Amino acid sequence: MEKKVLNQKNLLERIQTEVDVFKGIIDKRTLIEEKFNQVNVKLDELKAEADRLFGPKK
């Protein structure tokens, strides 16, 4: 009986570790998406400025 409780505890700890890893991955993905969006906004601004200076692309 004691061994069963120990196994359940180990299983719960392993599951919690997996959940923490997935949460970390999701957090990093969200951060990457935010940075990517910031880069795209800056790129759009630079393209607009280039169009003003040199005319639109033909």
Side-chain angles (χ1 to χ4, degrees):
M1 187 66 154
E2 194 173 305
K3 188 174 182 179
K4 185 177 180 181
V5 171
L6 186 59
N7 285 339
Q8 287 176 341
K9 182 180 177 191
N10 288 339
L11 179 61
L12 288 173
E13 287 174 358
R14 196 168 75 216
I15 290 171
Q16 185 60 50
T17 300
E18 290 176 6
V19 167
D20 292 343
V21 167
F22 283 119
K23 283 181 180 179
I25 291 170
I26 291 169
D27 289 345
K28 287 179 183 176
R29 180 180 177 187
T30 301
L31 180 63
I32 290 169
E33 287 174 345
E34 289 171 0
K35 295 290 183 181
F36 186 77
N37 288 337
Q38 291 172 358
V39 168
N40 279 337
V41 167
K42 184 64 177 176
L43 181 60
D44 290 342
E45 291 171 357
L46 291 172
K47 285 179 182 178
E49 186 175 337
D51 286 346
R52 282 192 302 276
L53 294 173
F54 304 111
K57 259 184 155 178
K58 293 181 181 179

